[in-house]
Amino acid sequence: MRDAVGAVGTVLLLGGRSEIGLAAAERLVRDGARRVVLAARGAGGSAAIGDAAERLRAAGAEHVHPLDFDAARPESHTAVVATAAELVGDLDAVIDAFGVLGDQEAFEDDPAYAAEAAAATYTGHVSVGLAVARRLREQGHGTLVVLSSVAGVRVRRANFVYGSAKAGLDGFAQGLGDALHGTGARVLIVRPGYVPTRMSAHVPAAPFPATAEQVAGAVAEGLRTGAETVWVPRRLRLVFAAMRALPRPLWRRLPR
Amino acid sequence: MAATARRSTLLTGWGRTAPTAATVRRPRTPEEAAALLRASAQEPAGRRRGAIARGLGRSYGDAAQCAGGTVLDCADLAPGFRLDADRAVVTASAGTSLAELMAELLPRGRFPPVVPGTRHVTVGGAIGADIHGKNHHADSSFGAHVHSLRIVTPDGAHREVSPARDPALFWATVGGMGLTGIVTEATFSAAPVETSAMRVDTDRVPDLDSAMALMSAHDTDYPYSVCWIDLLAGGAALGRGVVTRARHARVGELPSDRRHAPLAYAPRTVAAAPPCTPPRLLNALSVRAFNAAYYARAPRRGRGAIRPLSSFFHPLDAVRDWNRLYGPRGLVQYQLAVPFGAEDELRRIVAGLAAAGAPSFLTVLKRFGPGTPAPLSFPVPGWTLALDVPADLPGLARLLLRTDERVLAAGGRIYLAKDSRARPAAVHAMYPRLGEWRAVRERVDPQGVLTSDLARRLEL
């Protein structure tokens, strides 16, 4: 259950290798979560997931369960959610953090690769998001935290495959949040700007960067306040209000 | 069942935090309540979400919520009320509110054995939370006055229990937060009173030690006693407050124009909080101003004031929906008890809360008397402190976790009916007889049909 000050008892992290997702899970553990499921492809024998579990235990988690989860196999997603609930009970917070940033040039050279990455960043969330939503609706409470991105707020030339997938995800998350209104379950959309992580190491830094820890703090704050959308850093909300108003010829010429 | 249309509703406690959705049913008879429990028991184990009774929703936290399950709204449950004047006992349905009860009893010269800070609680809730009032030091909690209970257990059985008949189930139900069965009716004592007025003595106390000293020395002279504390006063004025002690007035003490109708009782709601209030209306500044004014207004030493019963017991009930004053994010109420001998720890706890600037305008200190044999009943002989703060107060989570630790170290506990944010391990340590209570619950509810958000959150 989420308590009156926003702490939760259980966390399901979809994308157990995501640096941002893991930072958010760790923050929720420090705030009181005791049972965590780390869902990722090949989670069972993965050293990275083992390290992540260790990190969460060190932060105070009593039980950390690895769980195999393949974003590209939508038919398995309902079972993944059911197994997670068997492992830890009610899913108080589900952090949906997987995705592939990829490399725009490589995408343009290899359309099949681009489509695969777009699926991981968008359609994989559709199936698992709906499966999570059904479970949260049945339990009458719970928050699905969707890690969107400002890249999807207005798609840029420099990363339009990733950006368009995030735009789809963001729209999906908004609609899902509206669908869940009044059910006790809800969706928290997190829109970070540039976050330097392993995933983004190959792209140049952008203005208004945020750390994974800042994103994690925003997730915790959103759980506490019941917000529907949080921007990290917060001023990006204003920045993008302006960005959206830029005329197309100008927008197209943005350096990146 | 005609009585129970199916609908999913978002529910919160009085603190208006952490809403969850449940199907609300309104059973009208114990048989309908039993059928609802049986229906829940028959759901497949993996999908069963359970059921819990709800009265008037005055528990501050999540005690009367059952996310995804069934909430039995007991307001219509077999309305009924009998006063046996010879034995001075009342039998009332669980859905009867203390407001209704007082309106019925006072004209007959009787009064409920215990009334809490609001009259808008049900008899069922009074038992489930084993409520206490300003007379706890003299008269213990509500459960101590209950002669017998009728409850429906999850197997659908109707049982009558008392301190002599299945005492384990009786005492597990008193203070059991509704998790052992649905109370449908209770028989309890009703003390005689001559008037519907109180004779009140008021003393302003400059600090916490004076408050405790005054209450320790003279509480036995009064059946009712309580101290309001200005939690925002620090330094030498730490814990300054206003002690009010009272007893029911006698006819001869009333003003002459009221003696012809000494038991007249007409509590009024004089105002209602607006449905929407801005966030942070109650902040350190506004509460500091309120507290200073309240303290200054109280007489230094007032004796023998005759006051209406409702203004002594239920001043907040005069403002309907006062909880909305805390804004859209709601409020957190925190109530702790520490045993006698832990006065130094209590002082440190109050200092810690005061130093954090917790903007509480309803901080109350009271001496508890003897407890009941109920394993989960909150009151223990000692001191209790209650405060309420806006749920979005920065740093609140950590402040209260730190306070939990201090309370636990002092051998104390927090009140489940008010809790909305504690951690399971702390609560388990605060209630060492939890295992004994669980054994009774296991006996009457082996499938775990009765559950609540509170029970899930705290792993009771």
Side-chain angles (χ1 to χ4, degrees):
Chain A
M1 311 301 309
R2 181 172 67 100
D3 72 15
V5 291
V8 295
T10 65
V11 177
L12 164 60
L13 173 57
L14 297 163
R17 292 185 187 86
S18 155
E19 273 179 66
I20 296 178
L22 198 57
E26 182 180 355
R27 172 63 193 263
L28 298 188
V29 165
R30 291 198 189 282
D31 285 354
R34 281 160 296 115
R35 298 187 297 276
V36 184
V37 178
L38 291 176
R41 191 160 49 195
S46 155
I49 293 295
D51 291 348
E54 210 38 63
R55 182 173 149 194
L56 294 179
R57 282 193 200 96
E62 289 165 18
H63 303 280
V64 185
H65 307 271
L67 177 64
D68 269 340
F69 165 64
D70 187 344
R73 290 183 53 228
E75 70 282 0
S76 68
H77 289 176
T78 297
V80 166
V81 173
T83 307
E86 276 165 32
L87 287 170
V88 295
D90 280 8
L91 304 175
D92 299 346
V94 179
I95 304 169
D96 182 358
F98 60 90
V100 177
L101 177 58
D103 174 49
Q104 180 65 24
E105 269 183 49
F107 288 155
E108 290 177 31
D109 287 345
D110 185 349
Y113 169 49
E116 197 181 301
T121 305
Y122 176 40
T123 57
H125 300 264
V126 172
S127 49
V128 80
L130 289 171
V132 167
R134 174 178 296 180
R135 167 72 204 184
L136 300 189
R137 190 194 287 267
E138 280 168 7
Q139 49 179 57
H141 73 102
T143 306
L144 172 61
V145 181
V146 175
L147 284 173
S148 178
S149 165
V150 295
V153 173
R154 187 168 183 188
V155 178
R156 285 177 293 131
R157 161 68 187 94
N159 67 353
F160 66 82
V161 172
Y162 175 76
S164 63
K166 281 292 187 189
L169 172 60
D170 198 283
F172 169 77
Q174 291 177 47
L176 188 62
D178 288 339
L180 289 175
H181 186 78
T183 65
R186 56 192 201 88
V187 175
L188 167 62
I189 300 174
V190 182
R191 292 190 187 130
Y194 172 75
V195 182
T197 62
R198 278 192 315 276
M199 185 173 97
S200 63
H202 63 286
V203 300
F208 308 114
T211 63
E213 284 65 35
Q214 281 174 305
V215 179
V219 169
E221 179 71 3
L223 281 171
R224 190 173 77 83
T225 62
E228 289 173 329
T229 312
V230 292
W231 301 70
V232 202
R234 210 175 288 182
R235 73 181 75 151
L236 280 178
R237 177 185 208 132
L238 282 176
V239 170
F240 270 81
M243 293 281 210
R244 268 191 282 218
L246 275 190
R248 190 80 175 271
L250 265 180
W251 179 251
R252 186 183 300 141
R253 286 180 179 80
L254 280 191
R256 53 171 306 281
Chain B
M1 258 176 303
T4 51
R6 204 180 176 90
R7 59 200 169 93
S8 196
T9 309
L10 276 183
L11 297 170
T12 69
W14 190 243
R16 303 174 77 222
T17 52
T20 62
T23 303
V24 175
R25 301 296 195 97
R26 293 176 73 99
R28 287 180 306 198
T29 63
E31 289 68 31
E32 286 185 357
L36 287 168
L37 291 189
R38 277 197 303 270
S40 179
Q42 279 158 11
E43 285 167 14
R47 291 183 46 208
R48 188 185 306 131
R49 297 296 303 173
I52 195 74
R54 182 180 177 98
L56 289 166
R58 252 49 174 203
S59 282
Y60 284 80
D62 45 8
Q65 291 165 241
C66 182
T70 307
V71 168
L72 281 73
D73 178 339
C74 291
D76 299 338
L77 189 55
F81 168 87
R82 296 188 301 281
L83 171 65
D84 180 339
D86 296 339
R87 291 170 52 228
V89 295
V90 175
T91 300
S93 75
T96 310
S97 73
L98 292 198
E100 292 161 344
L101 201 62
M102 285 163 63
E104 293 283 344
L105 289 178
L106 272 168
R108 297 172 167 89
R110 301 280 166 178
F111 196 67
V114 169
V115 294
T118 171
R119 57 184 175 268
H120 301 297
V121 300
T122 63
V123 168
I127 291 162
D130 195 16
I131 60 165
H132 55 271
K134 297 178 171 68
N135 59 342
H136 190 279
H137 66 281
D139 298 329
S140 191
S141 52
F142 198 90
H145 303 270
V146 177
H147 297 214
S148 64
L149 296 175
R150 284 179 190 275
I151 67 172
V152 174
T153 44
D155 52 10
H158 300 259
R159 304 175 195 236
E160 181 161 345
V161 296
S162 71
R165 184 169 177 181
D166 199 346
L169 180 54
F170 176 85
W171 290 115
T173 302
V174 168
M177 303 310 291
L179 296 163
T180 56
I182 309 285
V183 176
T184 59
E185 191 181 85
T187 299
F188 48 91
S189 44
V193 292
E194 282 184 31
T195 75
S196 61
M198 304 301 293
R199 187 180 189 282
V200 184
D201 290 352
T202 305
D203 292 86
R204 213 152 76 176
V205 285
D207 54 45
L208 189 66
D209 287 344
S210 317
M212 291 199 282
L214 182 66
M215 294 170 96
S216 299
H218 299 291
D219 255 9
T220 46
D221 303 342
Y222 302 82
Y224 300 97
S225 161
V226 72
C227 178
W228 169 87
I229 291 212
D230 177 3
L231 198 57
L232 286 176
L238 178 71
R240 72 175 181 182
V242 180
V243 175
T244 46
R245 294 167 295 169
R247 60 172 169 75
H248 292 279
R250 290 191 266 273
V251 175
E253 292 164 348
L254 293 183
S256 51
D257 61 336
R258 284 198 49 206
R259 284 182 203 161
H260 68 283
L263 291 163
Y265 173 63
R268 282 186 308 156
T269 302
V270 297
C276 291
T277 51
R280 308 276 164 87
L281 176 69
L282 297 181
N283 53 46
L285 270 180
S286 62
V287 173
R288 195 181 297 276
F290 169 87
N291 284 3
Y294 187 90
Y295 181 76
R297 193 178 141 266
R300 198 172 300 278
R301 185 174 189 281
R303 286 293 174 270
I306 301 297
R307 285 171 52 191
L309 199 142
S310 52
S311 80
F312 176 73
F313 284 108
H314 306 130
L316 277 172
D317 285 345
V319 183
R320 185 151 38 87
D321 297 330
W322 62 264
N323 54 343
R324 289 187 174 155
L325 295 175
Y326 283 86
R329 305 255 171 82
L331 76 138
V332 168
Q333 162 99 198
Y334 186 85
Q335 185 166 2
L336 63 91
V338 295
F340 289 126
E343 284 78 8
D344 287 344
E345 285 89 339
L346 180 64
R347 214 171 283 122
R348 277 196 287 274
I349 289 167
V350 173
L353 293 165
S360 170
F361 78 102
L362 280 173
T363 312
V364 167
L365 175 74
K366 151 120 208 95
R367 268 178 84 244
F368 272 157
T372 61
L376 289 196
S377 177
F378 165 66
V380 287
W383 298 94
T384 184
L385 182 80
L387 56 135
D388 49 28
V389 284
D392 60 356
L393 182 72
L396 181 63
R398 274 173 212 293
L399 172 66
L400 295 184
L401 287 171
R402 216 162 44 232
T403 310
D404 286 344
E405 281 168 22
R406 287 178 166 159
V407 169
L408 189 53
R413 69 259 302 264
I414 60 169
Y415 191 10
L416 296 180
K418 305 231 169 140
D419 179 58
S420 58
R421 35 62 53 199
R423 301 275 169 86
V427 169
H428 297 177
M430 288 169 178
Y431 287 90
R433 292 173 64 202
L434 184 63
E436 185 187 325
W437 177 81
R438 281 177 174 156
V440 178
R441 197 177 166 206
E442 177 68 22
R443 165 159 72 87
V444 297
D445 185 14
Q447 291 176 286
V449 170
L450 287 167
T451 190
S452 61
D453 289 2
L454 176 89
R456 284 199 172 100
R457 182 171 56 79
L458 295 179
E459 298 170 9
L460 295 179

